[in-house]
Amino acid sequence: MLTNNVERILIDEEKLMNRIREMGRQITEDYRGKDLVLICILKGAVIFASDLAREIKLPLAMDFMAVSSYGSSTKSSGVVRILKDLDQEIEGRHVLIVEDIVDSGLTLHYLTENLMTRKPASLKICTCLDKPERRVTPVKIDYVGFNIPDEFVIGYGLDYAEEYRNLPFIGVLSKDAYKK
Ligand code: PRP
Ligand code: 7HP
């Protein structure tokens, strides 16, 4: 079964949706009258970005980047690769990066440096989850859904070895699933 390797539910669907509604309201206020581009970092952020975008009551553009630093492990390799770049120019536009999780911070450190060279009018970061205990590189996060403890989580876009992204909640991966 899909939920076999879920040790426990950390954030249920209702809590997720309520928080995303609040974040959408805040972002709507902050970006009113601005040329906003949401950059969804594939693949993990796709579900969060889809829900968040619908709670932002403003005209906006969406673009997608795919970077990978994890492969099928539960630890960051520290090496960030761009697998898919943006389709749109971001020079002079207000860019909001949308992530599912910030862990070591290596992915966002790389991404912000890379995107800043393209001269956006502003560059901010929004993440559904933050694991501050795991930080290796400091990153300034502007919008955080939830701070979570140092446990490997799955669901709502987050995977383990490409599975579990379609769980509607955030759950803790059972240790049996990867300690073999
Ligand atoms: C995950 C996640 C973040 C990154 C965070 O992506 O979606 O992009 O790791 O980790 P960090 O802060 O330690 O860099 P992953 O490489 O697993 O790709 P995926 O989104 O396609 O699953
Ligand atoms: C990346 C990642 N992917 C899934 N679950 C977690 O807890 C993660 N941390 N960093």
Side-chain angles (χ1 to χ4, degrees):
M1 235 175 80
L2 178 65
T3 51
N4 269 357
N5 289 320
V6 178
E7 191 177 284
R8 67 179 197 285
I9 295 180
L10 197 62
I11 308 166
D12 67 23
E13 206 171 344
E14 193 188 343
K15 231 173 138 187
L16 275 168
M17 293 312 144
N18 288 339
R19 181 70 187 117
I20 290 165
R21 219 164 285 130
E22 284 175 6
M23 294 171 90
R25 270 198 291 270
Q26 184 66 55
I27 293 168
T28 301
E29 275 178 33
D30 295 351
Y31 285 89
R32 203 176 296 286
K34 294 181 174 164
D35 178 12
L36 172 61
V37 187
L38 295 187
I39 298 184
C40 168
I41 309 304
L42 297 170
K43 299 173 232 170
V46 74
I47 293 177
F48 173 53
S50 311
D51 284 340
L52 181 69
R54 284 176 290 184
E55 296 299 335
I56 302 174
K57 310 297 182 188
L58 298 173
L60 57 79
M62 291 184 80
D63 208 335
F64 300 85
M65 266 182 109
V67 295
S68 183
S69 58
Y70 275 76
S72 59
S73 157
T74 56
K75 296 239 166 66
S76 173
S77 63
V79 179
V80 179
R81 287 184 300 143
I82 293 194
L83 306 177
K84 184 218 168 288
D85 209 337
L86 297 177
D87 295 331
Q88 302 168 45
E89 299 291 328
I90 56 165
E91 185 168 345
R93 307 176 76 185
H94 293 273
V95 171
L96 184 59
I97 300 176
V98 181
E99 261 291 20
D100 52 348
I101 190 162
V102 185
D103 189 294
S104 68
L106 293 166
T107 304
L108 276 175
H109 176 77
Y110 171 83
L111 272 174
T112 49
E113 295 232 311
N114 181 295
L115 294 175
M116 279 310 286
T117 65
R118 308 182 198 195
K119 302 188 169 57
S122 69
L123 180 63
K124 288 192 176 179
I125 294 170
C126 174
T127 186
C128 182
L129 306 176
D130 186 13
K131 264 193 214 175
E133 283 170 55
R134 300 255 314 161
R135 205 70 93 252
V136 171
T137 312
V139 218
K140 182 179 169 290
I141 308 175
D142 302 281
Y143 305 94
V144 178
F146 302 89
N147 281 313
I148 61 164
D150 182 11
E151 292 181 285
F152 198 84
V153 290
I154 48 175
Y156 200 63
L158 291 131
D159 74 311
Y160 172 61
E162 295 301 330
E163 277 187 60
Y164 310 108
R165 295 193 198 271
N166 58 327
L167 290 172
F169 53 80
I170 305 280
V172 175
L173 180 68
S174 102
K175 302 253 176 337
D176 301 341
Y178 60 91
K179 272 201 169 162
K180 283 178 187 150

